[in-house]
Amino acid sequence: MLKPLRTVLTAALFTIATYGIAAELRGDHPDTYVVKRGDTLWDIAGRFLKKPWLWPEIWQANPQVKNPHLIYPGDVLSLAYLDRVAVQEGPREEAPITGIPLAEVEAFLKDLRVVDSFEHLPYVVGLEEDRLRSSLNQVAYVKGLADAQPGQRYLVVRPGARYVGLDPKRCCGNANRRADDLDFRGRRNIGTEQMWNYQLPPGGGEFLGYELMKLTTATVSRGQAGDAEAATVVIDVSGREVRVGDRLIPVEAQPYDLQFFPHPPRQELPARRAHVLAVADTLTTGGPRDVVALSVGARDGIDNGTVLSTWRVGSTEADRVRVGLDRSPDLVGRGSKVKLPDEFAGHAMVFRTFDKVSYALVMDSVRPTRIGYALKHPDATH
């Protein structure tokens, strides 16, 4: 008796879930779609669904597909039985498509990383002929590579930003103070080489990490020997100029993910702590195809492909009808203030994840996304 009942309940729940997904299908969705070069998974998902982040709910691969997470140009996608998208394998002659356009994010995949500390890393103590800057085919001298062997390659990196989150006890709005740049030692300084427009929150908050920016690569030509206290490296790639204080880390073979599906967060976001940290290219606002840094990462259940919505945090205004127009907002009691609702700005999809910080690309928006905007589930309504 129980077994047939379980079967009936399972079928009923599956039918309810199917109807739920069917309600999210676009009215003009295609029956079939042939994947083309230049497509992204977000664009394809948007052809079938009103909400592209629901793609994993309707995606199924045919058994003969070796890796169901890869979609290639020439594959035929069809809206199959029970509103599931199936794939008919194509020629597999080109690279698989990605979740978002790589051209928009390649520099952030290859050139940036977030770490808890950098002081322990080897660093440049001198340059060829006592130069102030060095570039391709020139020599740099590095302290901290005592065991380095000729031929070993390193990334030359520079601390560029110190990320600090909002203090949930003191701050509920947008950040409003520009962050200090970091000097050649990675310490706070007023500088001009800032990649992000990043603002410090009032009162400060949790330390989230240092961002290291890749400058170039270098190869060890001579290890530390004799009475010398530095190893010799040759800059072997044309990139940004190297200066004293720049740090070195071993070259890693593609330490990032290119293939992922858009999906909602796997767990509830931390209340009042999840927000937009920074906007790239020294902008204060970001729109579609702009990169933003977020104050959540792997520890918060964020991974590549996570879709979040961005929201302008509602202001808290004095109720002027009750207190009048002349009283300073600082003198108005909490009972005479009104919290205004948050306003939806857009959706962003994470493409690079660290422990406490992640990078995302703004995918769509109804208004610009600004520094300090809150992050919520993509289906949030308030």
Side-chain angles (χ1 to χ4, degrees), residues 35 102 167 219 224 298 338 342:
V35 181
L102 287 181
D167 184 348
T219 301
Q224 186 173 319
V338 180
D342 296 350

Side-chain angles (χ1 to χ4, degrees), residues 102-331:
L102 287 181
E104 307 286 345
V105 301
E106 187 174 22
F108 299 89
L109 290 170
K110 293 182 176 180
D111 296 347
L112 297 177
R113 63 205 65 215
V114 178
V115 298
D116 290 333
S117 64
F118 62 86
E119 291 84 358
H120 63 287
L121 296 174
Y123 56 90
V124 177
V125 291
L127 300 171
E128 179 179 348
E129 298 180 357
D130 298 329
R131 299 172 186 266
L132 296 178
R133 300 286 190 273
S134 284
S135 56
L136 180 63
N137 295 327
Q138 294 178 343
V139 164
Y141 304 104
V142 180
K143 184 177 180 179
L145 290 180
D147 299 325
Q149 300 298 316
Q152 290 182 322
R153 299 189 71 230
Y154 289 85
L155 295 179
V156 185
V157 299
R158 181 177 300 159
R162 181 179 182 271
Y163 285 129
V164 179
L166 295 175
D167 184 348
K169 296 181 181 179
R170 300 184 59 183
C171 184
C172 58
N174 300 331
N176 62 6
R177 182 162 64 90
R178 186 183 177 96
D180 295 331
D181 201 0
L182 301 180
D183 67 10
F184 73 97
R185 296 170 297 177
R187 299 179 183 176
R188 292 182 182 180
N189 185 32
I190 301 300
T192 59
E193 296 188 24
Q194 200 161 12
M195 182 175 185
W196 303 85
N197 191 333
Y198 169 52
Q199 297 176 334
L200 289 174
E206 180 189 11
F207 167 69
L208 300 178
Y210 292 102
E211 183 182 77
L212 300 182
M213 177 176 62
K214 173 189 169 184
L215 306 174
T216 184
T217 62
T219 301
V220 176
S221 62
R222 183 174 51 188
Q224 186 173 319
D227 61 352
E229 298 180 37
T232 303
V233 301
V234 178
I235 301 168
D236 56 17
V237 171
S238 179
R240 294 181 176 89
E241 289 184 324
V242 175
R243 66 189 186 191
V244 169
D246 290 337
R247 305 280 170 161
L248 275 73
I249 58 178
V251 169
E252 299 176 80
Q254 192 170 312
Y256 48 81
D257 185 14
L258 294 178
Q259 307 299 333
F260 47 84
F261 278 16
H263 58 269
R266 305 191 189 280
Q267 65 187 52
E268 186 176 354
L269 294 174
R272 300 180 67 182
R273 183 165 60 78
H275 66 281
V276 177
L277 276 174
V279 180
D281 297 327
T282 66
L283 300 174
T284 58
T285 61
R289 299 301 185 264
D290 282 330
V291 174
V292 291
L294 312 179
S295 68
V296 287
R299 68 167 181 174
D300 307 298
I302 300 299
D303 59 355
N304 291 346
T306 300
V307 179
L308 303 167
S309 57
T310 62
W311 293 72
R312 183 189 185 279
V313 179
S315 304
T316 299
E317 299 290 344
D319 186 344
R320 293 300 178 184
V321 172
R322 295 185 59 183
V323 303
L325 297 175
D326 298 331
R327 186 180 300 184
S328 168
D330 296 333
L331 301 179

Side-chain angles (χ1 to χ4, degrees), residues 1-11:
M1 180 67 183
L2 291 176
K3 186 174 181 180
L5 182 58
R6 283 199 301 268
T7 303
V8 171
L9 289 175
T10 301

